């Protein structure tokens, strides 16, 4: 079967066969919208190209010729015929939109002869040679590998020489010269002539599309978005229409709703006398779509309504007006901010366009991150130093960096940077990934920087034309003449488009109306409970406000190493005997009772899972270097002998406690088996606090006491008996009792394997998937991520970082085994997960499928988890296979 | 049903019901041998005692009374009747012999009145009051908790005052006084009178037996020998016969064969005018059994023959002669040296007493350790400083320590000590466990020290009467007047009984004739292959001589950190780029080719599994402290700037390579994924060496290349392709090919879980159970064994150290899963194990059951593994349940 077809021949094929762009063109053609005729080479051809090691599929070009003949018949023009030439656009089109791949070659079919012919036909040599130089520029860069900068520099030089600002001001004669200059550049850079044969142009353009599937930026993008390498791209070959033909022409992009806010109103930009690429590249700042002629605007509104009714989603479309006639060049589901995504989904439910289930499934839970971004503190009034377009919401602070590589490098070291560029290109993806936010001086809401930043949920201010960037000397100047240098700190607010000097205080986000509504819908569908990991009363309050149904992990380390506790903790560690240890612990008790009371008050009526001390003792002592340094200062100082001796004892203790592999050492419940008195104190504090809170406010949290690092049933059994003893004593002293559960983290492979035995003595399990991943792989996260994880991902040894997305094959095997076997043995066993994976949507699907009862995630991941859990439940219901 | 019965009533019950001692008495009674009549309280009574929290089972004492009435009827004597008193012995008797438990109370039923009556009856007041004081002494110590020393000191004081050497020389009047003194000691120490009521004596004695089951020494012994806590002890109550009645009386112990050599000849010791306890305690040195009257000797030979025919094993028996009449007091399977065990088993097969299968099953494989003990270098002639009895073979060197606690403490720190005592008691068990060997100045071949040391396979010289030990001042003197002080180094040879000053060179053991025969029998039955872990040609030769069928683990670390290689390895690590690394590796290549050629020559025709580099690079660099110290010495030294800079670079590298948890870090195949050139060099060396050896001697080893620390199929697939590429290049260069396999260690849980996937790209698996245990538990062995393993064993959190005996529940689950799933996917997959568990018999049974193909152990564990593998195969055949 032929892999090439005209738009009207392909109705019924999917976006996997046609690519996203082609799918839209075919659909629009079928809907009767005005689409310039064209053909599509299906993605299968690209797959064959790679399967054959980079060879064109046999017969493919013959099929293209056949279809082209049909296009010629349809349009009455002929490809390469100077007397009535057919010009083509060639575009890539992958199943998922992928900035970073080859985009577009326009005006294909132009050559010296055709140009001459067209001048005769149109009598507009400026237009003709502008179109020709654009072809050489795009074709040279994309199909022949010439660096784009050389063309850009030449164009700038001409404008400079002529003293004009914009391309449109370059006269025909200069355009003609430019064509010759561009051909010379191609010759110099490649050693080959720009091909005059239109068929050769077409062949090379098609192959360039295939090759662009695997260019480094595209590969990086797919990795970031976890898009399969196997999909391949289609090629769209379409007859040209010209937005740059004159005053009555232009190009534009539009959204059927506002992609930043979700508001239900046609939204877009229009650039008169321009081809589509000019709009997207952000080279001139376009007009709002409302400024178009009322007739065209009305036509567009009509198109928009049809598109939404057909696709049942907000559309992002491109159009060109040629001599007053509207042509639709593309439509696709529009990228949008998370805020818009949520509003659109909820609105469309109200409008009856989609079902609540569809609304739930439509939103990528990770996108909610954007809504949960920080924003500027509302009470703080600072004057901005500049204002641009509010392209992607959220406030971000960082040092100004102009170079993408530098941004990537500093960002990967954990530094907070703001990437500042005149505009961004696909080459800048890695800098954007690493930056806190992006600021550009050019481009609109649909410019590269804006689209990419929104996609990643990074704050971005674009088109901030009031600043002038000097890349070479590393500074930008504001309208007021303020100079901001490389390395200075700025804050951007992508919600308002404002730029501030220095760090501006920000506040944490809250759930907005539509998000609340969406999550309420999600809560109706999900089976998994959602709790939060929270160690402080503040975090607990926040978690509750974000919808957490309890605390799944309350770490107690902070209660030991807060500054007012640490001296006492050290006293305990240094104690010579049990008695000394107990005395020090006695002093810690009131602190911890107070801590727990605050948390239990915040979480009253909900479960709070308190994990008893997990850290090894040496974590509470200063590092040996520091002690040594302090000792050096005391040596031979009269009157300091006692202090010196004390430091010496401390150093000795540090040395005794030193471990070769602390991750696998004397910590967690192991420490408690040796020194049960620490847990005894903690349990006293927990139960005392719970009872005291109930006395004061009439209700309290549901207490769950959790032991870390269990690998053997007897550890839990032994400590549980000590906990129960302690509880009995506390209840006797206080004269009242309270329910509590005792359970365990499952964070060693052995705990997972022997889960049935452990389930005999546990009320609940909670998977510590961070440590479980470490022990299952034998990976020390600290070392592995620093030393070789990147290499493993590059070499495709692992499909993703298992500390971010649960490793289903290995760790997942243990999770499933422990859950099903544990529950088989103890049907009342409650099973949750409190590792970082608890907030990862792909992992949440797996936990749902594995029969867990709840996930617990950091407070700001709670909304994400609620939505992901609902999606997981819906996918199970609809038997959608889980891919992770 | 009554738990008490007379010997003749209990035939048919097992040793689990009767205890070992009782079982022997019942059997001998049934065989018609002369056994003094008595009764047994079954072990069930002891279990009930503990189940009821230490309360006598109801009705038990009534049952004892009933049976005692029958004994009275049988003997015509009455318990507590001064006119014709019945005296009893009360002994513990667990299913397995357990030194450290209560042993014996003799003469029970004696009191002031009975003593007077007996004097009248026997007209031998010395005998009577000697018997009485013995009762008080034993009863006071065992049933009333008086320290034995007080009685001992009193007895010594009397002998000193009288100027006599032995108890027998103490006249009646003094014995009578001693009785009063002993009663006073009891009163002073306990605040209670020695009970005059015989029934009270009996009740207390029975309870003392029950209690002794759980005394700390018994618990320690059971833990060491892995005897279940649940078995309980029986109580043997028997009518007294007296070996101390006069010249015509005496007591002795005998073995049906020589327990040290296995020679088939009655062997034993006899102490005239003594009760049994005198012989065992080694207080006087007894006569060889051959010195008894010919008539009695003949009777004993006859008994011995009957016993062996009945029990089909070498027997250890106790007897007493009362006025010329022989009484058998005990028989049991005799403890023996491993040498004797092997000879006896093989001889008995030849004699037709047992089958080859029985011979295999009879010997504890771990006992073979004894035969594989070092012995003195045969060419070295040193004069001994003393000579004692050759109680337990093997040569051992260590510092002289007199105190058991000190020996235990220093031994546990890894120091080599020789425990030197006048004699040992059950209190000394922990010192013997920790010592390299034992030297005593008193006692015979059946003394406590001799029996215990043999049981543990520790070298021991006992009864070395020529030395005089001064415990208080911490030295001993030899006959020649040489003083050996606490802390001096001595060497003992338990095979010859010789003691040497200083360290005497020793040689490694070889397989003797009978052991070779036994192992040849074992080889007929076992299914598992047995290979050795060997890194050097010497170890390989040794392993082959000990029966290894290949090398299951040849570590290559030594080939990197030998002194002539280390500078080159550091050059490689410090290299700035791939090129520099490759150059350094080029230099290492010839060294490694030579290493491998030697090993492959030694193992020609057998498989050699070479594990490629496993250690992280920082292991090859000096520790930072050392570099810092060296840097300090170079600072401000003119002309040393370059050297200082070099050290600085080294320090930087060490800091870069530093890892938080090196066990889980950048090592093994992970390092190779980053720097494949290291493995490329190793593979070149291996294949070049293999081909070169074949060229030289016509055959070579079967090459198996093994990758460490794999946790994901892709790691192996990636490196395997590099190995195969390298092999192709080597074969091309050398113009010939050789077979090789590529496989992987399974030492992370994830490797075990994903075994089927890994099996797709592996020719073999080898379980690295050391690391697999670490990662499955989350235990860093270095830290865990130092910090809390002892505590875990004491608190019974774990039944045994999982680094010694495989943890079947956790690690074993993974081993079974990986083996069965791996073989299901790849039926040609070869599966072995090369962790330390490969030489542990209990673990070997599990590996056999799990379907592994071979085990690999250190060379001296190879014979043990061969025997254990045969036992495992037989037990599977006979469906003997495996307990581990």
């Amino acid at each position: 079967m032929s892999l090439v077809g005209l738009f009207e021949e392909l109705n019924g094929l999917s976006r996997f066969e046609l690519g996203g762009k082609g799918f839209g063109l075919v659909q629009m053609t079928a809907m009767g919208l005005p689409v310039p005729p064209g053909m599509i080479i299906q993605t299968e051809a690209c797959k064959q190209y790679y399967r054959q090691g980079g060879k064109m599929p046999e017969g493919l070009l013959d099929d293209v010729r056949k279809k082209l003949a049909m296009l010629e018949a349809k349009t009455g023009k002929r490809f390469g015929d100077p007397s009535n030439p057919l010009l083509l656009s060639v575009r890539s089109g992958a199943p998922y939109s992928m900035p970073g791949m080859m985009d577009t070659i326009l005006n294909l079919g132009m050559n010296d002869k055709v140009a001459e012919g067209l001048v005769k036909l149109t009598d507009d040599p400026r237009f003709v040679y502008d179109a020709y130089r654009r072809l050489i520029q795009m074709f040279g860069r994309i199909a022949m590998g010439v660096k784009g900068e050389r063309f850009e520099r030449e164009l700038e030089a001409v404008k400079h020489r002529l003293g004009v600002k914009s391309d449109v001001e370059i006269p025909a004669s200069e355009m003609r010269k430019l064509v010759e200059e561009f051909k010379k550049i191609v010759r110099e850079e490649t050693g080959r002539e720009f091909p005059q044969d239109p068929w050769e142009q077409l062949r090379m353009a098609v192959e360039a599309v295939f090759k662009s599937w695997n260019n480094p930026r595209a590969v990086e993008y797919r990795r970031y978005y976890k898009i399969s390498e196997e999909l391949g791209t289609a090629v769209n070959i379409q007859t040209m229409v010209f937005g740059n033909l004159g005053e009555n022409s232009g190009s534009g992009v539009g959204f059927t709703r506002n992609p930043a806010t979700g508001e239900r109103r046609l939204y877009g930009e229009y650039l008169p006398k321009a081809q589509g690429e000019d709009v997207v590249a952000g080279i001139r700042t376009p007009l709002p779509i409302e400024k178009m002629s009322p007739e065209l605007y009305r036509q567009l509104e009509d198109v928009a309504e049809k598109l939404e009714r057909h696709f049942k989603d907000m559309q992002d479309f491109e159009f060109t007006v040629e001599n007053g006639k509207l042509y639709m060049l593309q439509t696709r589901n529009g990228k949008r901010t998370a805020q818009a995504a949520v509003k659109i989904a909820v609105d469309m439910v109200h409008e009856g366009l989609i079902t609540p289930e569809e609304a739930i499934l439509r939103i990528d839970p990770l996108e909610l991150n954007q809504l949960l971004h920080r924003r500027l503190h509302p009470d703080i009034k600072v004057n901005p130093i500049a204002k641009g377009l509010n392209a992607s919401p959220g406030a971000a602070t960082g040092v100004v960096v102009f170079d993408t590589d530098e941004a990537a490098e500093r960002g990967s070291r954990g530094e907070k940077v703001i990437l500042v560029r005149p505009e961004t290109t696909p080459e800048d993806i890695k800098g954007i990934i690493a930056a806190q936010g992006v600021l550009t001086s050019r481009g609109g809401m649909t410019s590269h920087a804006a689209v990419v930043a929104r996609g990643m949920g990074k704050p971005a201010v674009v088109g901030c034309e009031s600043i002038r960037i000097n890349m070479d000397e590393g500074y930008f100047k504001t309208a007021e003449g303020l100079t901001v240098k490389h390395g200075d700190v700025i804050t951007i607010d992508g919600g308002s488009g404002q730029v501030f000097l220095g760090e501006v205080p920000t506040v944490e986000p809250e759930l907005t109306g539509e998000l609340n509504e969406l999550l309420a819908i999600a809560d109706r569908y999900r089976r998994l409970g959602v709790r939060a990991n929270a160690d402080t009363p503040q975090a607990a309050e926040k978690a509750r406000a974000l919808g957490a149904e309890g605390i799944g992990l309350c770490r107690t380390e902070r209660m030991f190493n807060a500054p007012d506790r640490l001296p006492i903790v050290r006293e305990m560690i240094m104690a010579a005997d049990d008695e000394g240890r107990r005395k020090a612990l006695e002093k810690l008790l009131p602190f911890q009772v107070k801590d727990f009371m605050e948390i239990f008050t915040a979480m009253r009526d909900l479960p709070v899972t308190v994990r008893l001390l997990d850290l090894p003792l040496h974590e509470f002592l200063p590092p040996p270097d520091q002690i040594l340094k302090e000792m050096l200062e005391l040596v031979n100082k009269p009157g300091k002998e006692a202090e010196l001796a004390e430091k010496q004892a401390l150093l000795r203790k540090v040395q005794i406690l030193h471990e070769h592999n602390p991750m696998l050492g004397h910590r967690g419940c192991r420490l408690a088996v040796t020194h049960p008195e620490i847990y005894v104190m903690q349990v006293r504090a927990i139960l005392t606090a719970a009872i005291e809170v109930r006395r004061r406010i009439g209700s309290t949290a549901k207490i769950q006491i959790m032991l870390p690092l269990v690998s053997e049933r007897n550890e839990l059994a032994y400590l549980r008996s000590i906990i129960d003893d302690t509880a009995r004593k506390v209840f006797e002293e206080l004269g009242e009792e309270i329910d509590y559960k005792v359970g365990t983290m499952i964070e060693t492979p052995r705990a997972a394997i022997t889960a049935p035995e452990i389930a005999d003595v546990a009320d609940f399990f909670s998977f510590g998937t961070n440590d479980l991943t470490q022990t299952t792989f034998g990976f020390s996260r600290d070392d592995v991520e620093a030393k070789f994880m990147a290499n493993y991902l590059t070499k495709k040894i692992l499909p993703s970082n298992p500390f971010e997305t649960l490793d289903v094959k290995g760790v997942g095997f243990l999770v499933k085994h422990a859950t099903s076997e544990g529950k088989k043995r103890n049907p009342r066993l409650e099973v949750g997960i409190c590792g970082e994976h608890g907030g990862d949507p792909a992992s949440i699907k797996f936990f749902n499928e594995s029969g867990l009862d709840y996930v617990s995630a950091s407070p700001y991941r709670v909304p994400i988890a609620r939505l992901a859990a609902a999606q997981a439940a819906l996918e199970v219901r609809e038997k959608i296979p889980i891919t992770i």
Side-chain angles (χ1 to χ4, degrees), chain A residues 114-127:
Chain A
V114 168
E116 279 170 36
L118 265 179
V119 170
K120 280 183 204 147
L121 275 177
T122 61
D123 202 20
D124 187 349
R126 207 214 72 87
F127 159 71

Side-chain angles (χ1 to χ4, degrees), chain A residues 31 87 153 192 285 363 394 404 420 429 450 500 640 642:
Chain A
M31 286 162 70
L87 297 186
R153 270 211 305 274
R192 294 170 59 196
T285 301
I363 289 164
T404 275
V420 181
I429 288 262
F500 305 89
K640 297 286 189 184

Side-chain angles (χ1 to χ4, degrees), chain A residues 484-684:
Chain A
V484 179
K485 290 193 302 294
H486 168 266
D488 287 351
V489 172
I490 62 171
T491 298
I492 62 171
D493 177 11
S496 67
Q498 291 175 308
V499 181
F500 305 89
L501 193 62
E503 180 169 356
V504 179
T506 53
V507 294
E508 293 177 341
E510 286 158 16
L511 298 186
T512 64
E514 274 101 2
L515 180 53
N516 250 338
E517 191 174 343
L518 182 81
L519 293 173
I521 297 175
D523 290 346
R524 299 210 308 262
Y525 292 98
R526 68 184 159 87
R527 185 190 63 72
L528 280 173
V530 176
R531 300 186 189 173
N533 300 346
D535 311 340
T536 64
Q538 297 75 33
E541 300 269 16
K542 192 82 234 171
R544 192 165 190 150
L546 292 168
E549 298 159 320
I551 291 182
L553 174 64
C554 174
R555 297 178 200 85
T556 54
E557 274 63 29
R558 189 189 53 87
M559 301 179 184
F560 285 83
N561 57 24
D564 50 347
R565 332 280 170 88
L566 202 52
I568 312 180
V569 171
R570 290 193 180 157
E571 183 186 325
M572 172 194 80
I573 297 172
M574 297 302 294
D577 51 19
D578 283 8
E579 186 51 30
R581 261 192 300 279
R582 248 190 306 274
K583 267 191 189 152
L585 286 165
E586 207 53 52
K587 293 190 215 167
L588 279 176
L589 183 67
F591 286 103
Q592 304 217 345
V593 170
K594 185 166 164 294
D595 290 339
F596 285 124
M597 281 182 63
E598 289 172 2
I599 292 172
F600 296 163
T601 303
M603 299 305 287
R604 61 197 169 281
D605 303 323
L606 295 178
V608 172
T609 309
V610 180
R611 185 180 69 188
L612 302 185
L613 188 68
D614 185 26
L615 282 186
L617 293 181
H618 50 75
E619 293 269 352
F620 298 104
L621 298 182
D625 320 7
Q626 187 192 321
I627 307 173
L628 268 169
K629 229 177 78 189
E630 290 169 4
M631 280 172 67
L632 278 177
E633 282 166 18
L634 295 171
V635 165
N636 290 334
K637 294 257 173 74
K640 297 286 189 184
E641 293 79 5
E643 208 177 320
L644 182 62
E646 209 174 284
K647 297 272 179 214
Q648 211 139 22
L650 185 63
L651 183 65
R652 225 174 7 249
K653 194 73 182 188
V654 169
Q655 283 161 346
I656 290 171
L657 292 177
H658 170 263
E659 293 184 307
H660 297 85
N661 296 286
M663 160 74 207
L664 308 178
H666 196 194
R667 64 182 192 91
C669 72
R670 300 164 187 177
L671 192 61
V673 171
T674 323
H675 302 300
E677 53 274 17
I678 300 175
Y679 281 11
V680 166
M681 183 278 287
Q682 290 196 285
V683 170
R684 290 194 82 84

Side-chain angles (χ1 to χ4, degrees), chain A residues 374-494:
Chain A
R374 304 182 70 78
R375 54 197 177 86
L376 296 181
H377 197 294
D379 298 344
I380 292 192
K381 302 293 169 218
V382 201
N383 287 329
I385 56 170
K387 190 163 180 319
L389 300 173
N390 52 341
S392 182
T397 300
V399 296
V400 169
V401 170
F402 295 102
D403 182 71
T404 275
D405 289 332
E406 183 187 345
E409 205 260 332
R410 293 172 75 156
S412 74
R413 288 205 313 261
E415 256 185 274
K416 292 190 192 309
V417 307
I418 304 289
L419 181 65
V420 181
R421 307 273 306 166
E423 60 192 304
T424 67
T425 69
E427 263 95 7
D428 294 315
I429 288 262
K430 65 173 181 295
I432 301 174
I433 290 176
Q436 300 298 305
V438 183
L439 168 62
T440 71
S441 57
R442 285 190 287 188
M445 290 298 277
T446 51
S447 66
H448 180 266
V451 170
V452 170
R454 276 201 296 275
M456 293 183 187
K458 303 251 178 201
V461 173
V462 303
C464 187
E465 302 198 341
S466 66
I467 65 171
R468 272 165 307 131
I469 302 179
N470 186 322
M471 300 279 289
D472 293 341
E473 301 190 13
Y475 66 82
F476 70 79
K477 272 201 165 165
T478 67
E480 279 80 38
L482 181 73
T483 302
V484 179
K485 290 193 302 294
H486 168 266
D488 287 351
V489 172
I490 62 171
T491 298
I492 62 171
D493 177 11

Side-chain angles (χ1 to χ4, degrees), chain A residues 20-39:
Chain A
K21 194 187 295 269
F23 179 76
L25 290 167
V26 167
Q27 295 287 311
M28 287 196 293
T29 303
M31 286 162 70
L33 295 181
V35 176
M39 72 177 95

